[in-house]
């Protein structure tokens, strides 16, 4: 997924969350990526991570479902 515009902390979180979302959806070539201390201390990183996780997991789930038909 394309990283959205926003503050650097949000974009960093989105990119890490996106990687993690692909992993959660079963993509074999990504690694779970989350900085727990930054997630707890930086609300922009946390929001970006959550948005990235949701966006990318949903995208990969949709692709996976369409190829299993």
């Amino acid at each position: 997924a394309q990283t959205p515009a926003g503050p650097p902390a949000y974009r960093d979180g989105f990119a890490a969350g996106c990687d993690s979302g692909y992993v959660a959806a079963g993509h074999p070539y990504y690694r779970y990526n989350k900085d727990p201390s930054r997630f707890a201390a930086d609300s922009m990183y946390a929001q970006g991570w959550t948005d990235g996780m949701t966006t990318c997991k949903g995208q990969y789930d949709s692709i996976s479902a369409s190829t299993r038909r």
Side-chain angles (χ1 to χ4, degrees):
Q2 177 120 5
T3 303
Y10 179 84
R11 293 194 314 262
D12 289 350
F14 189 94
C18 186
D19 288 351
S20 302
Y22 284 140
V23 171
H27 196 295
Y29 301 115
Y30 285 84
R31 288 196 180 162
Y32 186 81
N33 184 4
K34 184 178 185 181
D35 181 337
S37 58
R38 189 171 180 191
F39 188 89
D42 185 340
S43 63
M44 288 307 304
Y45 176 87
Q47 184 62 55
W49 191 93
T50 302
D51 291 350
M53 165 66 103
T54 302
T55 298
C56 294
K57 182 179 185 307
Q59 286 178 350
Y60 193 73
D61 282 343
S62 294
I63 292 166
S64 295
S66 69
T67 60
R68 283 192 295 256
R69 289 182 187 160

